[in-house]
Amino acid sequence: MLFVNQTAVSQWERGATVPSSQMLSRLSELYGVTINYLLGTDLKDTDHAETEAPAAGGVVIPVLGDVAAGIPIDAIENIVDYEEIDQAMAATGEFFGLRVKGSSMEPRIREGDVVIVRKQEDVNTGDTAVVLVNGDSATVKRIKKEPGGISLIPNNPAYDVKFYSNAEIITTPVTIIGRVVELRGKF
């Protein structure tokens, strides 16, 4: 049985808040509809919910706003959408999505694409990561660790590599939020 506070339901109906991904998953199972149907992005007939339901064991994760592929922008944790990942991936850590804004990671990662990010504090050289600069600006870049610091490398040659010394990593600060593990291109 599922119990939900009437205040929470009222806030959902007004658009003041959005149910958590876990709650959306439970509600979709309870009503036999897809999560997209609950969010109003898939208005197909509920009689066919069995064919539209998420894959068995799928996990819905929030897309927490925009992340820069260019000049770092303010890190925003505002749920703007949801994406689904499979259970095997979900079992490997904590995940969230971010919508890309900017062109520094083109041609592979384009504005409007969603990157799926595994939350982790360290990555390997060559990994693409979400990096927090100055404590409040996030960017997506390839990482190159060097003895003297770290380089944030764009894919697009029109943008410059940004190097932070070991001292700047601490004083600025520069913090790795997570590793990009999947790209979901949008048309």
Side-chain angles (χ1 to χ4, degrees):
M1 184 163 272
L2 179 65
F3 293 100
V4 179
N5 181 318
Q6 180 57 38
T7 303
V9 173
S10 176
Q11 290 175 337
W12 299 342
E13 289 173 339
R14 288 188 328 229
T17 63
V18 178
S20 69
S21 58
Q22 183 179 21
M23 180 59 72
L24 283 170
S25 181
R26 292 180 68 197
L27 287 168
S28 74
E29 289 174 24
L30 178 69
Y31 291 112
V33 297
T34 65
I35 291 170
N36 286 337
Y37 181 84
L38 289 174
L39 294 172
T41 58
D42 178 5
L43 301 177
K44 295 177 184 169
D45 190 327
T46 58
D47 292 340
H48 302 96
E50 310 83 49
T51 60
E52 300 168 0
V59 175
V60 176
I61 60 170
V63 177
L64 299 177
D66 297 323
V67 65
I71 308 301
I73 60 172
D74 290 345
I76 300 171
E77 287 199 17
N78 179 29
I79 298 174
V80 296
D81 201 357
Y82 291 89
E83 291 286 336
E84 185 176 328
I85 61 174
D86 64 47
Q87 188 64 40
M89 181 186 288
T92 65
E94 184 179 339
F95 293 84
F96 59 92
L98 290 169
R99 189 174 44 209
V100 174
K101 187 171 186 170
S103 60
S104 74
M105 295 305 285
E106 288 182 353
R108 180 73 175 114
I109 301 173
R110 298 179 170 273
E111 183 157 345
D113 289 349
V114 172
V115 290
I116 305 300
V117 181
R118 180 175 42 228
K119 190 174 180 180
Q120 59 188 68
E121 296 176 1
D122 194 21
V123 296
N124 296 319
T125 291
D127 286 344
T128 300
V130 176
V131 181
L132 197 61
V133 180
N134 292 326
D136 63 359
S137 297
T139 188
V140 175
K141 296 289 183 286
R142 279 185 299 115
I143 302 299
K144 182 178 180 187
K145 292 182 177 180
E146 303 175 44
I150 189 171
S151 290
L152 306 182
I153 305 169
N155 287 342
N156 186 337
Y159 289 81
D160 295 327
V161 172
K162 181 66 178 160
F163 177 80
Y164 293 94
S165 70
N166 289 329
E168 288 173 316
I169 290 171
I170 295 167
T171 59
T172 299
V174 178
T175 309
I176 294 170
I177 296 173
R179 183 170 74 90
V180 174
V181 296
E182 190 173 305
L183 171 65
R184 305 227 171 141
K186 303 296 179 188
F187 292 103

